Amino acid sequence: MFDTILIANRGEIACRVIDTCRRLGVRTVAVHSDVDAQARHVEMADEAISLGGASPAESYLRGDAIIAAAQATGAQAIHPGYGFLSENPDFVEAVEAAGLVFIGPSASAIRAMGLKDAAKALMAEAGVPVVPGYHGEDQDPGHLEVEAAEIGYPVLIKAVAGGGGKGMRLVERPGDFVSGLESAKAEARGAFGNDAVLIEKYITSPRHIEVQVFGDGTQAVHLFERDCSLQRRHQKVIEEAPAPGMTREMRDAMGQAAVRAAEAIGYKGAGTVEFIVDGSDGLRADGFWFMEMNTRLQVEHPVTELITGVDLVEWQLRVAAGEPLPCAQEDLTISGHSFEARLYAEDVPAGFLPATGRLAHLAFPESARADTGVRSGDVISPHYDPMIAKVIVHGPSRAVALRKLRRALAETHVAGTVTNLSFLGALARHEGFSAGDVDTGLIGRELESLIAVSRTSPILIAQGVLTLVGLDKMPCALDGFALWQSLAQHVTVSVENDVVPCRLVTRGPGAIDVTVKETIVEARHGANGWRYDGQPASAVFVEDDAATVFGDQTCVVRRVDPLDVEAGAGGSSDLIEAPMPGLVRQVFVAAGQHVTKGDRLAILEAMKMEHSLLAARDGEVAEVMAENGAQVEAGAVLIRLQSEEA
Ligand code: MV4
């Protein structure tokens, strides 16, 4: 085993790798950007080397600097985590040329899976099922049309260089083929500088089921499947293992196909073979096809760890250090069921916009495994992925594990930034998902009900108000003074964007009536603390003038000056601002145009994703300040609406 390894990554995965290293007595070296100088992974590591900069290009993508750091600190191996340099074959070669071990597959295995058409051809040759289709060289439109007819409609046109659904077009009828081909090629040319396409039979009700594999460079085993069908725009939201409805026969067939795929390229280390599965009529052992292979440890690896009892990072280190595969296929078994939910700093009602900000408070329940790279007080910056944590649970059955997931999400507390917690909670309670009816279209179809925000309960607001005023702390102090008799206090708070006038009236010791707008909430202190209209109190976090109440929804109650409220009323909804630094991809409106609340006004590209900026209200566009292709700062005004009184 290694004495020291360097982790060429940040965030939760760097911390996850360090956890296992500590358990194995392996010394760890972290690397970090300037903005990550105080990050959790730096604190956890035995030693840390600064790479400088903030952007990945200035820091975590600097292969040469990372290799130099490994050499300077006496590390014998480099763990790449996921993302950044993890699937860069040139980096693997440079690491090996420096006399170090890359904890992962060979450069040639990574290259073999890098191009989709070549990978599919290779897999077909190795006896792995691939979707019926055309993966050939001849890109003549007439020829492609003939191939499409032979495959049979509907067909899917995909960019050879594609990923994340870019350059992909569904064609349902022969008459639409030529226009579909043209638009797929145009998008592929723009995104990848390569407009070659392949054509596949369209799988109408697809599920994403992937198999975890592990190789020693010659032989491989599989660690069963994960179902990652719950995705939104190709971003996974909740993953689980095993896949609901999986049969023994199909699991064996998929596992064997995945092992063949790994062995065909001499795979070493942890990898994932992704399959698309036709879920339109239950699962069938001949209804799965190879999509791609990810030549790294994946974000969702913990669900596999919890059902198999295997520490995949430990296996990675052992195999990289030259040990044989830790166990044989027949020694691996599935125990129970596991879910992982990805907790993001994002503004769901605004269209899942990544959010930034300081995590004033962050707490997870003991009942879940929370893989995280941040602590209370840390900042979610615009430079990196806005994932806060992965909340992972395990139970003896799917039903029990799902109940544990719901509860763990309810007991996860984040203050200081908006999150997707309530979206995750709604998904975990969704009837179809609960029944195991998952497919990649579920979130899209059910989006409206999943993001519906119920009116904030006056009970939660009352609790926030009482805490802000400090009255929650003195039920007994009130006892000594007969102050309550006619004591009334007015407090104005804001909740979401709503200004809420409140009135507190003490009725007796430990008895306060809180009027929230027109609703009276009775706060009463008893043996078990405060109750609000008879319901037990929620956890509250207070900082400065804001109380974050963790009820069935997280609600931020902010004390405001009633005079400021009048001065600022209606002001901000005039301006459409860039929520983060980014590139203006497209502006859809011009001055003078009428827009309706919710209309998409512009697209901002940031953090490798496109974000729609929506109108916050109906109105007329007064001015467009943003230009297509412009780089803008956070807060830059892109569009101004005619102010409402005008
Ligand atoms: C497909 C498909 C249906 N039929 N291929 C989307 C991204 C890329 N990795 C593959 N994708 C798909 N390929 C055929 N022949 C449907 C999808 C697809 C999808 C696949 C996996 C997970 C989520 C998805 C969401 C939409 C479409």
Side-chain angles (χ1 to χ4, degrees):
M1 182 49 67
F2 306 112
D3 169 67
T4 303
I5 72 161
L6 179 143
I7 297 123
N9 214 302
R10 65 179 304 282
E12 69 88 15
I13 192 61
C15 297
R16 158 76 192 87
V17 173
I18 295 171
D19 276 333
T20 290
C21 289
R22 281 184 172 171
R23 199 168 56 69
L24 301 180
V26 174
R27 205 171 72 90
T28 53
V29 179
V31 290
H32 64 86
S33 63
D34 286 345
V35 288
D36 276 344
Q38 313 292 326
R40 180 166 186 259
H41 77 281
V42 172
E43 178 188 81
M44 284 176 68
D46 294 304
E47 193 176 342
I49 300 285
S50 168
L51 297 168
S55 70
E58 297 170 305
S59 52
Y60 300 103
L61 289 174
R62 290 181 57 209
D64 293 350
I66 289 168
I67 290 169
Q71 288 173 323
T73 54
Q76 295 115 17
I78 296 181
H79 193 299
Y82 53 71
F84 297 127
L85 295 166
S86 61
E87 293 178 278
N88 181 328
D90 297 337
F91 178 66
V92 176
E93 281 169 351
V95 169
E96 288 168 355
L100 302 168
V101 175
F102 179 78
I103 301 173
S106 67
S108 72
I110 296 174
R111 285 201 181 97
M113 291 298 176
L115 272 179
K116 301 207 150 192
D117 53 342
K120 277 182 182 156
L122 186 65
M123 289 301 106
E125 220 171 288
V128 178
V130 300
V131 186
Y134 176 72
H135 308 135
E137 298 266 310
D138 190 346
Q139 293 284 313
D140 173 64
H143 177 72
L144 292 174
E145 197 170 358
V146 170
E147 291 288 347
E150 209 156 293
I151 294 162
Y153 285 85
V155 297
L156 197 59
I157 304 173
K158 293 183 179 180
V160 164
K166 269 204 178 136
M168 205 164 83
R169 286 292 179 284
L170 168 63
V171 183
E172 311 213 48
R173 286 175 296 274
D176 297 340
F177 184 80
V178 174
S179 67
L181 180 65
E182 276 167 14
S183 77
K185 278 184 173 290
E187 191 171 307
R189 216 176 295 129
F192 314 112
N194 173 358
D195 70 358
V197 295
L198 52 88
I199 300 174
E200 288 182 353
K201 178 88 194 150
Y202 178 64
I203 311 298
T204 40
S205 185
R207 283 174 64 175
H208 170 136
I209 300 181
E210 57 186 34
V211 177
Q212 176 72 52
V213 292
F214 211 99
D216 64 3
T218 312
Q219 286 188 318
V221 294
H222 71 84
L223 292 97
F224 314 107
E225 79 282 357
R226 295 185 283 260
D227 194 311
C228 309
S229 296
L230 286 193
Q231 310 198 350
R232 191 193 146 265
R233 303 222 183 140
H234 307 294
Q235 303 272 358
K236 295 168 187 164
V237 181
I238 294 181
E239 302 103 331
E240 62 180 305
M246 180 59 70
T247 63
R248 170 79 197 271
E249 191 193 5
M250 185 174 190
R251 174 173 296 134
D252 288 347
M254 290 185 79
Q256 282 163 23
V259 166
R260 275 200 298 280
E263 290 181 349
I265 57 169
Y267 199 78
K268 185 167 85 244
T272 296
V273 184
E274 256 182 54
F275 294 101
I276 189 165
V277 170
D278 183 0
S280 55
D281 189 22
L283 296 181
R284 285 178 298 110
D286 62 350
F288 69 91
W289 300 277
F290 173 86
M291 280 275 114
E292 54 187 77
M293 179 166 182
N294 299 308
T295 52
R296 57 166 193 272
L297 185 71
Q298 284 194 267
V299 177
E300 60 270 25
H301 76 275
V303 293
T304 298
E305 296 189 317
L306 294 195
I307 62 159
T308 58
V310 168
D311 179 332
L312 285 167
V313 174
E314 175 185 338
W315 278 32
Q316 285 187 300
L317 295 177
R318 288 170 62 177
V319 167
E323 288 183 34
L325 284 177
C327 74
Q329 189 65 59
E330 53 273 22
D331 301 328
L332 290 161
T333 53
I334 297 180
S335 161
H337 204 97
S338 176
F339 287 98
E340 170 182 286
R342 299 190 187 189
L343 174 62
Y344 280 97
E346 65 185 6
D347 190 342
V348 172
F352 295 84
L353 277 179
T356 54
R358 190 177 146 269
L359 298 169
H361 177 71
L362 179 64
F364 303 99
E366 289 288 327
S367 59
R369 165 173 163 184
D371 282 13
T372 181
V374 287
R375 307 145 295 194
S376 285
D378 284 349
V379 169
I380 300 292
S381 82
H383 304 289
Y384 312 107
D385 181 286
M387 191 165 78
I388 298 170
K390 304 183 302 201
V391 177
I392 311 144
V393 296
H394 180 262
S397 66
R398 188 174 190 271
V400 172
L402 189 53
R403 270 204 304 266
K404 287 178 77 172
L405 178 67
R406 292 181 195 130
R407 180 145 192 174
L409 291 171
E411 293 174 355
T412 294
H413 296 167
V414 186
T417 173
V418 290
T419 72
N420 65 340
L421 252 181
S422 73
F423 175 68
L424 292 173
L427 205 44
R429 288 187 302 270
H430 182 271
E431 227 174 271
F433 175 54
S434 300
D437 266 331
V438 292
D439 72 276
T440 56
L442 186 145
I443 290 180
R445 286 193 305 272
E446 307 282 321
L447 197 60
E448 246 182 85
S449 69
L450 292 171
I451 66 178
V453 273
S454 42
R455 199 175 63 92
T456 307
S457 140
I459 289 181
L460 298 183
I461 299 175
Q463 200 178 335
V465 170
L466 210 68
T467 314
L468 281 173
V469 173
L471 278 177
D472 63 313
K473 299 235 172 51
M474 45 173 89
C476 300
L478 283 170
D479 218 0
F481 309 85
L483 274 181
W484 61 83
Q485 271 166 8
S486 61
L487 194 72
Q489 193 177 344
H490 289 267
V491 182
T492 307
V493 296
S494 70
V495 180
E496 307 272 300
N497 288 321
D498 202 12
V499 174
V500 184
C502 298
R503 204 166 76 99
L504 295 142
V505 181
T506 34
R507 295 281 176 212
I512 300 172
D513 287 356
V514 187
T515 309
V516 177
K517 279 191 178 162
E518 269 90 58
T519 312
I520 298 175
V521 176
E522 296 183 350
R524 298 290 179 268
H525 194 271
N528 298 313
W530 285 99
R531 285 188 167 259
Y532 293 80
D533 280 351
Q535 296 184 31
S538 308
V540 186
F541 172 80
V542 182
E543 190 177 64
D544 302 328
D545 280 334
T548 306
V549 186
F550 303 107
D552 23 289
Q553 60 202 113
T554 298
C555 127
V556 181
V557 180
R558 202 177 297 276
R559 194 169 185 167
V560 293
D561 184 330
L563 296 176
D564 283 353
V565 170
E566 270 167 45
S572 65
S573 70
D574 288 351
L575 304 177
I576 287 81
E577 299 171 345
M580 69 203 88
L583 182 75
V584 179
R585 265 268 163 255
Q586 207 172 348
V587 180
F588 298 105
V589 291
Q593 194 173 329
H594 183 81
V595 296
T596 307
K597 178 174 174 175
D599 279 358
R600 188 156 75 150
L601 305 183
I603 295 180
L604 186 73
E605 185 177 292
M607 300 194 242
K608 297 194 296 177
M609 285 172 56
E610 291 190 341
H611 311 290
S612 296
L613 303 181
L614 309 179
R617 60 166 172 85
D618 297 358
E620 188 178 312
V621 176
E623 193 182 355
V624 174
M625 288 88 139
E627 262 176 62
N628 286 347
Q631 190 70 40
V632 295
E633 291 299 313
V637 177
L638 306 181
I639 293 163
R640 187 169 61 80
L641 299 185
Q642 204 70 257
S643 69
E644 279 182 309
E645 55 269 35

